[in-house]
Amino acid sequence: MTAPNWEIGGRALGSRLLLGTARYPSLAVLQQAIHASGAAIVTVSLRRESASGRAGSQFWRTIKELGVQVLPNTAGCKTVKEAVTTAEMAREVFETPWLKLEVIGDDYTLQPHPFLLVEAAEALCRRGFEVFPYTTEDLVVAERLIQAGCKILMPWGAPIGSGQGLNNPYALRTLRARYPEISLIVDAGIGKPSHAIQAMEMGYDGVLVNTAVARATDPVQMGRAFGLAVAAGRLAYLAGAMLTQEMAEPSTPVTGTPFWHSAPPEPTK
């Protein structure tokens, strides 16, 4: 999990796991979970860290010490103006043009607002940001985001924090097949390491996890489990998984194998 094997946003990274930093029981547990997972990218909400005052400064120092790539996000934004303003502040605070763009359109499902998302992406790409838009698996929205200048897309697996996994595998496979040259990262809804493996086996470039690690009984061990799962899923994709079929097929060839049959039973008198 440590050798550079992924180039994204102009950087070579050693892990395809992205880890969120919210909702951990303590800063120490967060630090240990990041280390155990091997994650090379962590997401940070500017609003959350700014609101926490001195605690936010301590958090930022801790992240810097870990040497991971920071991906600020615009969590909680509902308008283009909010998203663009937050992005500009994040670029200054975290010293990176990388940005996970969130523009929420529904309070219940936290589904991205497709129209405002595209508008905000256009504005931020013009301003020199490397935009990672949090979107749905919709092909039309994906095309508009790519036209806006996005080279990376982050389709959801399921609503944020739901732990449901990949609700629409067909659409996610279709998106992967349609845009083979675009970096695709499954974001939101991942609840178990098996969900991450499923996404990686489809050929997705990475997986973002937050709640499933932060709210685990042991976040450090769960972080390690997700790091291994993402690596295993990627290896399985590269190795070429066998195709499914309806009929059984013996794993041991039977051609030329002798068979011995017992004599038929004696007739009963």
Side-chain angles (χ1 to χ4, degrees), residues 172-220:
L172 289 170
R173 287 193 189 94
T174 303
L175 188 64
R176 176 71 286 177
R178 183 69 62 86
Y179 299 108
E181 303 303 320
I182 296 294
S183 293
L184 298 178
I185 300 167
V186 172
D187 176 16
I190 298 294
K192 303 174 183 177
S194 57
H195 297 156
I197 291 176
Q198 184 183 5
M200 297 304 294
E201 286 179 342
M202 287 181 183
Y204 273 75
D205 297 283
V207 170
L208 172 58
V209 184
N210 190 165
T211 307
V213 175
R215 290 308 191 194
T217 303
D218 186 337
V220 178

Short mmCIF file of all heavy atoms in Angstrom, two decimals, residues 172-220:
data_model
loop_
_atom_site.label_atom_id
_atom_site.label_comp_id
_atom_site.label_asym_id
_atom_site.label_seq_id
_atom_site.Cartn_x
_atom_site.Cartn_y
_atom_site.Cartn_z
N LEU A 172 -23.15 2.57 -11.97
CA LEU A 172 -21.74 2.81 -11.69
C LEU A 172 -20.85 2.10 -12.71
O LEU A 172 -19.84 2.65 -13.15
CB LEU A 172 -21.40 2.35 -10.27
CG LEU A 172 -21.97 3.23 -9.15
CD1 LEU A 172 -21.78 2.55 -7.80
CD2 LEU A 172 -21.33 4.60 -9.14
N ARG A 173 -21.22 0.88 -13.09
CA ARG A 173 -20.45 0.18 -14.13
C ARG A 173 -20.55 0.91 -15.47
O ARG A 173 -19.56 1.02 -16.21
CB ARG A 173 -20.98 -1.25 -14.29
CG ARG A 173 -20.62 -2.20 -13.16
CD ARG A 173 -20.90 -3.64 -13.54
NE ARG A 173 -20.77 -4.52 -12.40
CZ ARG A 173 -21.77 -4.89 -11.62
NH1 ARG A 173 -23.00 -4.47 -11.87
NH2 ARG A 173 -21.56 -5.68 -10.58
N THR A 174 -21.74 1.41 -15.76
CA THR A 174 -21.94 2.14 -17.02
C THR A 174 -21.10 3.40 -17.05
O THR A 174 -20.47 3.73 -18.06
CB THR A 174 -23.42 2.49 -17.20
OG1 THR A 174 -24.20 1.29 -17.17
CG2 THR A 174 -23.66 3.21 -18.52
N LEU A 175 -21.06 4.10 -15.94
CA LEU A 175 -20.25 5.32 -15.84
C LEU A 175 -18.77 5.01 -16.04
O LEU A 175 -18.06 5.71 -16.76
CB LEU A 175 -20.47 5.97 -14.47
CG LEU A 175 -19.86 7.35 -14.24
CD1 LEU A 175 -20.47 8.39 -15.17
CD2 LEU A 175 -20.03 7.77 -12.79
N ARG A 176 -18.31 3.92 -15.43
CA ARG A 176 -16.91 3.53 -15.58
C ARG A 176 -16.59 3.19 -17.03
O ARG A 176 -15.53 3.57 -17.55
CB ARG A 176 -16.62 2.33 -14.67
CG ARG A 176 -15.23 1.72 -14.78
CD ARG A 176 -14.13 2.60 -14.21
NE ARG A 176 -13.77 3.75 -15.03
CZ ARG A 176 -12.87 4.66 -14.66
NH1 ARG A 176 -12.25 4.56 -13.51
NH2 ARG A 176 -12.61 5.68 -15.46
N ALA A 177 -17.50 2.45 -17.68
CA ALA A 177 -17.27 2.05 -19.07
C ALA A 177 -17.31 3.25 -20.01
O ALA A 177 -16.57 3.30 -20.99
CB ALA A 177 -18.31 1.02 -19.49
N ARG A 178 -18.17 4.23 -19.73
CA ARG A 178 -18.33 5.38 -20.62
C ARG A 178 -17.13 6.31 -20.56
O ARG A 178 -16.78 6.95 -21.55
CB ARG A 178 -19.61 6.14 -20.23
CG ARG A 178 -19.94 7.32 -21.12
CD ARG A 178 -20.36 6.89 -22.51
NE ARG A 178 -21.57 6.10 -22.48
CZ ARG A 178 -22.81 6.59 -22.49
NH1 ARG A 178 -22.98 7.91 -22.53
NH2 ARG A 178 -23.84 5.79 -22.48
N TYR A 179 -16.50 6.43 -19.39
CA TYR A 179 -15.39 7.38 -19.22
C TYR A 179 -14.14 6.67 -18.70
O TYR A 179 -13.71 6.87 -17.55
CB TYR A 179 -15.80 8.50 -18.26
CG TYR A 179 -16.98 9.28 -18.76
CD1 TYR A 179 -18.24 9.15 -18.16
CD2 TYR A 179 -16.86 10.15 -19.85
CE1 TYR A 179 -19.34 9.86 -18.64
CE2 TYR A 179 -17.94 10.86 -20.33
CZ TYR A 179 -19.18 10.71 -19.72
OH TYR A 179 -20.26 11.42 -20.20
N PRO A 180 -13.51 5.86 -19.54
CA PRO A 180 -12.33 5.10 -19.09
C PRO A 180 -11.12 5.97 -18.76
O PRO A 180 -10.25 5.54 -18.00
CB PRO A 180 -12.04 4.17 -20.28
CG PRO A 180 -12.64 4.87 -21.47
CD PRO A 180 -13.85 5.56 -20.95
N GLU A 181 -11.05 7.18 -19.31
CA GLU A 181 -9.89 8.04 -19.09
C GLU A 181 -10.07 9.00 -17.92
O GLU A 181 -9.13 9.70 -17.55
CB GLU A 181 -9.59 8.85 -20.36
CG GLU A 181 -9.34 7.99 -21.61
CD GLU A 181 -8.22 7.00 -21.41
OE1 GLU A 181 -7.21 7.39 -20.79
OE2 GLU A 181 -8.35 5.85 -21.85
N ILE A 182 -11.27 9.06 -17.35
CA ILE A 182 -11.54 9.97 -16.24
C ILE A 182 -11.32 9.24 -14.92
O ILE A 182 -11.72 8.09 -14.76
CB ILE A 182 -12.99 10.49 -16.31
CG1 ILE A 182 -13.20 11.33 -17.57
CG2 ILE A 182 -13.35 11.30 -15.07
CD1 ILE A 182 -12.42 12.63 -17.60
N SER A 183 -10.67 9.91 -13.97
CA SER A 183 -10.51 9.31 -12.64
C SER A 183 -11.85 9.33 -11.91
O SER A 183 -12.47 10.39 -11.77
CB SER A 183 -9.47 10.10 -11.83
OG SER A 183 -8.18 9.96 -12.39
N LEU A 184 -12.29 8.16 -11.47
CA LEU A 184 -13.58 8.02 -10.80
C LEU A 184 -13.36 7.48 -9.39
O LEU A 184 -12.70 6.45 -9.21
CB LEU A 184 -14.50 7.08 -11.57
CG LEU A 184 -14.89 7.50 -12.98
CD1 LEU A 184 -15.77 6.43 -13.63
CD2 LEU A 184 -15.62 8.84 -12.97
N ILE A 185 -13.92 8.17 -8.41
CA ILE A 185 -13.78 7.78 -7.00
C ILE A 185 -15.17 7.65 -6.40
O ILE A 185 -15.96 8.60 -6.43
CB ILE A 185 -12.98 8.85 -6.23
CG1 ILE A 185 -11.58 9.03 -6.84
CG2 ILE A 185 -12.89 8.50 -4.75
CD1 ILE A 185 -10.86 10.27 -6.35
N VAL A 186 -15.48 6.49 -5.85
CA VAL A 186 -16.78 6.31 -5.21
C VAL A 186 -16.76 7.04 -3.87
O VAL A 186 -15.90 6.78 -3.02
CB VAL A 186 -17.12 4.82 -5.01
CG1 VAL A 186 -18.39 4.68 -4.16
CG2 VAL A 186 -17.33 4.14 -6.35
N ASP A 187 -17.72 7.91 -3.69
CA ASP A 187 -17.79 8.75 -2.50
C ASP A 187 -19.18 8.64 -1.89
O ASP A 187 -20.18 8.82 -2.59
CB ASP A 187 -17.49 10.20 -2.89
CG ASP A 187 -17.63 11.17 -1.74
OD1 ASP A 187 -17.66 10.71 -0.58
OD2 ASP A 187 -17.69 12.38 -1.99
N ALA A 188 -19.25 8.34 -0.61
CA ALA A 188 -20.50 8.34 0.16
C ALA A 188 -21.21 7.00 0.10
O ALA A 188 -21.31 6.37 -0.94
CB ALA A 188 -21.45 9.44 -0.30
N GLY A 189 -21.70 6.59 1.27
CA GLY A 189 -22.52 5.39 1.37
C GLY A 189 -21.75 4.11 1.65
O GLY A 189 -22.34 3.07 1.92
N ILE A 190 -20.42 4.16 1.56
CA ILE A 190 -19.61 2.96 1.81
C ILE A 190 -19.66 2.63 3.30
O ILE A 190 -19.32 3.46 4.14
CB ILE A 190 -18.15 3.18 1.36
CG1 ILE A 190 -18.08 3.46 -0.13
CG2 ILE A 190 -17.30 1.97 1.73
CD1 ILE A 190 -18.48 2.32 -1.01
N GLY A 191 -20.10 1.40 3.62
CA GLY A 191 -20.26 1.04 5.02
C GLY A 191 -19.36 -0.08 5.49
O GLY A 191 -19.11 -0.23 6.69
N LYS A 192 -18.87 -0.90 4.55
CA LYS A 192 -18.05 -2.05 4.91
C LYS A 192 -16.88 -2.17 3.93
O LYS A 192 -16.98 -1.72 2.78
CB LYS A 192 -18.87 -3.34 4.83
CG LYS A 192 -20.11 -3.36 5.71
CD LYS A 192 -20.91 -4.62 5.45
CE LYS A 192 -22.20 -4.62 6.26
NZ LYS A 192 -23.03 -5.82 5.97
N PRO A 193 -15.79 -2.81 4.36
CA PRO A 193 -14.69 -3.05 3.43
C PRO A 193 -15.13 -3.80 2.18
O PRO A 193 -14.59 -3.57 1.09
CB PRO A 193 -13.70 -3.86 4.27
CG PRO A 193 -13.94 -3.40 5.67
CD PRO A 193 -15.43 -3.19 5.74
N SER A 194 -16.11 -4.69 2.29
CA SER A 194 -16.59 -5.42 1.11
C SER A 194 -17.20 -4.49 0.07
O SER A 194 -17.12 -4.75 -1.13
CB SER A 194 -17.62 -6.49 1.52
OG SER A 194 -18.71 -5.91 2.22
N HIS A 195 -17.80 -3.38 0.52
CA HIS A 195 -18.34 -2.39 -0.43
C HIS A 195 -17.19 -1.74 -1.20
O HIS A 195 -17.30 -1.48 -2.40
CB HIS A 195 -19.11 -1.30 0.31
CG HIS A 195 -20.31 -1.79 1.05
ND1 HIS A 195 -20.85 -1.12 2.13
CD2 HIS A 195 -21.08 -2.89 0.87
CE1 HIS A 195 -21.90 -1.78 2.58
NE2 HIS A 195 -22.06 -2.87 1.83
N ALA A 196 -16.10 -1.46 -0.51
CA ALA A 196 -14.93 -0.85 -1.17
C ALA A 196 -14.33 -1.81 -2.18
O ALA A 196 -13.95 -1.40 -3.29
CB ALA A 196 -13.89 -0.46 -0.12
N ILE A 197 -14.24 -3.08 -1.82
CA ILE A 197 -13.72 -4.08 -2.76
C ILE A 197 -14.59 -4.12 -4.01
O ILE A 197 -14.08 -4.17 -5.13
CB ILE A 197 -13.67 -5.46 -2.09
CG1 ILE A 197 -12.59 -5.49 -1.02
CG2 ILE A 197 -13.41 -6.55 -3.13
CD1 ILE A 197 -12.51 -6.78 -0.24
N GLN A 198 -15.91 -4.11 -3.83
CA GLN A 198 -16.84 -4.15 -4.97
C GLN A 198 -16.59 -2.99 -5.92
O GLN A 198 -16.54 -3.17 -7.14
CB GLN A 198 -18.28 -4.14 -4.47
CG GLN A 198 -19.32 -4.28 -5.57
CD GLN A 198 -20.74 -4.18 -5.04
OE1 GLN A 198 -20.97 -3.91 -3.86
NE2 GLN A 198 -21.71 -4.38 -5.92
N ALA A 199 -16.43 -1.80 -5.37
CA ALA A 199 -16.18 -0.62 -6.21
C ALA A 199 -14.86 -0.73 -6.95
O ALA A 199 -14.77 -0.42 -8.14
CB ALA A 199 -16.20 0.65 -5.35
N MET A 200 -13.83 -1.19 -6.26
CA MET A 200 -12.51 -1.29 -6.88
C MET A 200 -12.48 -2.39 -7.94
O MET A 200 -11.81 -2.26 -8.97
CB MET A 200 -11.44 -1.55 -5.82
CG MET A 200 -11.28 -0.43 -4.80
SD MET A 200 -10.91 1.20 -5.52
CE MET A 200 -9.30 0.90 -6.22
N GLU A 201 -13.21 -3.47 -7.72
CA GLU A 201 -13.28 -4.55 -8.71
C GLU A 201 -13.97 -4.10 -9.99
O GLU A 201 -13.76 -4.67 -11.06
CB GLU A 201 -13.98 -5.77 -8.13
CG GLU A 201 -13.14 -6.53 -7.13
CD GLU A 201 -13.85 -7.74 -6.53
OE1 GLU A 201 -15.10 -7.79 -6.63
OE2 GLU A 201 -13.18 -8.60 -5.97
N MET A 202 -14.82 -3.06 -9.89
CA MET A 202 -15.47 -2.50 -11.07
C MET A 202 -14.50 -1.67 -11.91
O MET A 202 -14.82 -1.28 -13.03
CB MET A 202 -16.62 -1.58 -10.66
CG MET A 202 -17.84 -2.26 -10.14
SD MET A 202 -19.09 -1.01 -9.74
CE MET A 202 -20.39 -2.04 -9.07
N GLY A 203 -13.34 -1.36 -11.36
CA GLY A 203 -12.39 -0.53 -12.07
C GLY A 203 -12.36 0.91 -11.61
O GLY A 203 -11.73 1.76 -12.25
N TYR A 204 -13.04 1.20 -10.49
CA TYR A 204 -12.97 2.57 -9.97
C TYR A 204 -11.56 2.85 -9.45
O TYR A 204 -10.85 1.95 -9.02
CB TYR A 204 -14.04 2.78 -8.89
CG TYR A 204 -15.34 3.20 -9.53
CD1 TYR A 204 -16.12 2.28 -10.20
CD2 TYR A 204 -15.74 4.52 -9.53
CE1 TYR A 204 -17.29 2.65 -10.85
CE2 TYR A 204 -16.91 4.92 -10.16
CZ TYR A 204 -17.67 3.99 -10.82
OH TYR A 204 -18.81 4.39 -11.47
N ASP A 205 -11.17 4.11 -9.52
CA ASP A 205 -9.80 4.49 -9.21
C ASP A 205 -9.55 4.65 -7.72
O ASP A 205 -8.40 4.60 -7.28
CB ASP A 205 -9.43 5.79 -9.93
CG ASP A 205 -9.47 5.60 -11.44
OD1 ASP A 205 -8.53 5.00 -11.98
OD2 ASP A 205 -10.46 6.03 -12.08
N GLY A 206 -10.60 4.88 -6.95
CA GLY A 206 -10.42 5.06 -5.53
C GLY A 206 -11.76 5.05 -4.81
O GLY A 206 -12.83 5.02 -5.43
N VAL A 207 -11.69 5.06 -3.48
CA VAL A 207 -12.87 5.05 -2.63
C VAL A 207 -12.64 6.04 -1.49
O VAL A 207 -11.56 6.07 -0.90
CB VAL A 207 -13.13 3.65 -2.06
CG1 VAL A 207 -14.22 3.68 -1.00
CG2 VAL A 207 -13.53 2.68 -3.17
N LEU A 208 -13.67 6.83 -1.20
CA LEU A 208 -13.62 7.74 -0.06
C LEU A 208 -14.53 7.21 1.05
O LEU A 208 -15.70 6.90 0.82
CB LEU A 208 -14.08 9.15 -0.46
CG LEU A 208 -14.27 10.17 0.66
CD1 LEU A 208 -13.00 10.38 1.45
CD2 LEU A 208 -14.77 11.50 0.11
N VAL A 209 -13.97 7.09 2.24
CA VAL A 209 -14.70 6.57 3.40
C VAL A 209 -14.54 7.53 4.57
O VAL A 209 -13.45 8.05 4.80
CB VAL A 209 -14.17 5.17 3.80
CG1 VAL A 209 -14.99 4.60 4.95
CG2 VAL A 209 -14.17 4.22 2.62
N ASN A 210 -15.61 7.74 5.32
CA ASN A 210 -15.51 8.53 6.53
C ASN A 210 -16.23 7.85 7.69
O ASN A 210 -15.62 7.25 8.57
CB ASN A 210 -16.06 9.94 6.32
CG ASN A 210 -15.76 10.89 7.49
OD1 ASN A 210 -15.88 12.10 7.36
ND2 ASN A 210 -15.36 10.39 8.63
N THR A 211 -17.57 7.87 7.68
CA THR A 211 -18.35 7.39 8.81
C THR A 211 -18.06 5.93 9.15
O THR A 211 -18.01 5.56 10.32
CB THR A 211 -19.86 7.55 8.53
OG1 THR A 211 -20.11 8.91 8.16
CG2 THR A 211 -20.68 7.22 9.76
N ALA A 212 -17.87 5.09 8.13
CA ALA A 212 -17.64 3.66 8.37
C ALA A 212 -16.39 3.42 9.20
O ALA A 212 -16.31 2.43 9.95
CB ALA A 212 -17.54 2.91 7.05
N VAL A 213 -15.42 4.30 9.10
CA VAL A 213 -14.21 4.18 9.92
C VAL A 213 -14.37 4.95 11.23
O VAL A 213 -14.11 4.42 12.31
CB VAL A 213 -12.98 4.69 9.15
CG1 VAL A 213 -11.74 4.70 10.05
CG2 VAL A 213 -12.72 3.83 7.91
N ALA A 214 -14.82 6.18 11.14
CA ALA A 214 -14.90 7.04 12.32
C ALA A 214 -15.84 6.50 13.38
O ALA A 214 -15.59 6.65 14.59
CB ALA A 214 -15.34 8.45 11.91
N ARG A 215 -16.94 5.86 12.99
CA ARG A 215 -17.93 5.36 13.93
C ARG A 215 -17.81 3.88 14.21
O ARG A 215 -18.68 3.28 14.86
CB ARG A 215 -19.34 5.68 13.40
CG ARG A 215 -19.69 7.17 13.45
CD ARG A 215 -19.45 7.75 14.82
NE ARG A 215 -20.01 9.07 14.98
CZ ARG A 215 -19.72 9.90 15.97
NH1 ARG A 215 -18.84 9.53 16.87
NH2 ARG A 215 -20.27 11.08 16.06
N ALA A 216 -16.75 3.24 13.74
CA ALA A 216 -16.53 1.83 14.05
C ALA A 216 -16.18 1.68 15.52
O ALA A 216 -15.72 2.62 16.18
CB ALA A 216 -15.40 1.28 13.18
N THR A 217 -16.39 0.49 16.06
CA THR A 217 -16.01 0.23 17.45
C THR A 217 -14.51 0.46 17.64
O THR A 217 -14.08 0.99 18.66
CB THR A 217 -16.36 -1.22 17.83
OG1 THR A 217 -17.77 -1.42 17.62
CG2 THR A 217 -16.04 -1.50 19.29
N ASP A 218 -13.74 0.07 16.64
CA ASP A 218 -12.29 0.30 16.66
C ASP A 218 -11.91 0.98 15.34
O ASP A 218 -11.63 0.32 14.34
CB ASP A 218 -11.54 -1.03 16.80
CG ASP A 218 -10.03 -0.84 16.98
OD1 ASP A 218 -9.51 0.21 16.58
OD2 ASP A 218 -9.39 -1.76 17.52
N PRO A 219 -11.91 2.32 15.30
CA PRO A 219 -11.61 3.03 14.05
C PRO A 219 -10.23 2.72 13.48
O PRO A 219 -10.06 2.72 12.26
CB PRO A 219 -11.71 4.51 14.46
CG PRO A 219 -12.59 4.52 15.67
CD PRO A 219 -12.26 3.25 16.39
N VAL A 220 -9.26 2.44 14.33
CA VAL A 220 -7.91 2.18 13.84
C VAL A 220 -7.89 0.86 13.06
O VAL A 220 -7.36 0.80 11.93
CB VAL A 220 -6.91 2.14 15.01
CG1 VAL A 220 -5.51 1.81 14.50
CG2 VAL A 220 -6.90 3.48 15.74
#
